[in-house]
Amino acid sequence: MIIDKVNDIINGHTSKNSLYVFCVFIKENIAKIPRMTIEDIAKACYISKGQVSKCIRNLDYQNYEEFIYECYSYLDSLERRQLFIDKKLSLKENISIFSDNFLKNIQYTQKYLDYTQIEELIKNIKTSRKIYLYAQGDARSLIYNIQRELNIYHINTIICDVDLKEEYSFTNQDLLIVISINGDTFHYDKRIIQRLRKTKVNKWLITCQNDINFCENQIFIHCLHFSYHVYMMRYIIDIILLGLQM
């Protein structure tokens, strides 16, 4: 997802070069980007049109059209987020409604859990030499939590970069876990998916979307309502992490 790429650049650059300036502008103005021309962006960033094109390629987009499409995709994902708060109700009433629905979703998800799959993934995590984690968007924050928890068990864990540009030395003793909550990565970023599929490593996918054909090992999370996908993903990840203690 474009915001993940932009954040990687901002967090990883100390000098305020053209790429850094470009990424800061994108992060602060992404809602306006689809209505802007490449000339508009160059003027706003005080860089040349050629530098904008170079920055777009550095973010792993082939051209301006592909970059704009990625911005549209990100904005679309934001629109699909569900607001749980009804401003006409009190905080107590909102919390009560959210809690009731949350419990119903957990019960539904638990009803359809495939414990054999979960146990197999836990076994893979315990026996692998190194764990690689990949996610975009909302799911990316979850893999940082997984890394922190695996470190407690002294399990060597690496978070893959958003573009998968790094040359990772996968072995047959390693494990790659891909998390895609709503399948946005698979629907919008075909280049990333191609790179993931080409990796010669044991792969697992955890997702709430049931129409993804990514790899043989997949944990599909059944959810009562799509607005609770993120919460159910966190629930399943917590279950997997708890299983490491057994």
Side-chain angles (χ1 to χ4, degrees):
M1 192 167 285
I2 188 168
I3 289 298
D4 297 321
K5 298 181 181 184
V6 164
N7 284 332
D8 279 353
I9 297 297
I10 295 173
N11 296 332
H13 284 64
T14 54
S15 61
K16 294 184 179 181
N17 56 21
S18 58
L19 180 58
Y20 177 91
V21 172
F22 175 76
C23 287
V24 169
F25 179 80
I26 297 305
K27 184 175 182 178
E28 295 177 349
N29 300 276
I30 192 163
K32 303 176 184 177
I33 300 299
R35 301 190 300 273
M36 300 178 72
T37 65
I38 192 169
E39 290 83 3
D40 293 334
I41 295 177
K43 184 177 180 180
C45 294
Y46 299 100
I47 59 179
S48 69
K49 179 180 173 181
Q51 286 176 307
V52 172
S53 296
K54 184 178 180 181
C55 290
I56 288 171
R57 291 193 297 272
N58 283 333
L59 290 177
D60 202 33
Y61 301 116
Q62 293 182 339
N63 49 50
Y64 188 71
E65 288 71 25
E66 187 177 49
F67 163 71
I68 291 296
Y69 177 76
E70 180 71 1
C71 293
Y72 269 122
S73 300
Y74 173 73
L75 294 172
D76 179 60
S77 71
L78 294 183
E79 289 181 4
R80 286 187 280 110
R81 290 190 179 199
Q82 298 298 301
L83 297 176
F84 295 98
I85 300 298
D86 185 342
K87 295 183 179 180
K88 296 178 182 179
L89 302 177
S90 68
L91 176 61
K92 182 178 180 180
E93 290 171 321
N94 273 294
I95 291 175
S96 177
I97 293 171
F98 174 82
S99 299
D100 288 343
N101 289 330
F102 183 70
L103 179 59
K104 290 177 183 177
N105 275 271
I106 281 188
Q107 291 172 336
Y108 184 86
T109 297
Q110 187 180 28
K111 178 180 177 181
Y112 291 99
L113 277 182
D114 189 328
Y115 292 97
T116 302
Q117 281 186 320
I118 292 175
E119 288 175 348
E120 184 64 23
L121 174 55
I122 292 171
K123 179 181 177 182
N124 278 202
I125 293 173
K126 287 182 175 181
T127 58
S128 294
R129 181 184 67 93
K130 191 178 294 183
I131 309 297
Y132 291 87
L133 304 171
Y134 181 81
Q136 293 185 358
D138 292 337
R140 194 152 180 87
S141 63
L142 300 179
I143 62 176
Y144 283 102
N145 182 53
I146 295 173
Q147 184 185 50
R148 184 175 63 252
E149 292 295 320
L150 293 184
N151 285 338
I152 296 174
Y153 302 102
H154 306 290
I155 298 174
N156 194 357
T157 309
I158 294 175
I159 293 178
C160 299
D161 66 287
V162 184
D163 290 324
L164 286 177
K165 286 184 175 180
E166 294 290 333
E167 293 292 334
Y168 299 104
S169 301
F170 296 115
T171 73
N172 56 9
Q173 296 177 302
D174 296 333
L175 172 66
L176 170 62
I177 300 175
V178 179
I179 297 178
S180 182
I181 297 173
N182 294 312
D184 290 344
T185 303
F186 293 84
H187 294 151
Y188 294 127
D189 209 332
K190 305 300 182 184
R191 192 178 299 115
I192 293 296
I193 298 312
Q194 188 177 26
R195 290 172 185 168
L196 283 170
R197 285 196 172 117
K198 284 182 178 179
T199 55
K200 304 295 183 181
V201 65
N202 180 28
K203 292 187 283 282
W204 277 81
L205 170 67
I206 307 176
T207 183
C208 300
Q209 193 69 27
N210 65 354
D211 62 348
I212 301 173
N213 183 19
F214 168 62
C215 62
E216 183 178 346
N217 300 315
Q218 297 190 179
I219 292 179
F220 169 59
I221 303 170
H222 294 264
C223 297
L224 187 60
H225 196 275
F226 70 88
S227 61
Y228 284 81
H229 279 181
V230 174
Y231 298 96
M232 294 306 102
M233 177 64 76
R234 291 173 183 165
Y235 170 64
I236 294 300
I237 288 174
D238 283 341
I239 286 175
I240 293 169
L241 294 173
L242 284 172
L244 292 175
Q245 301 178 27
M246 300 179 63

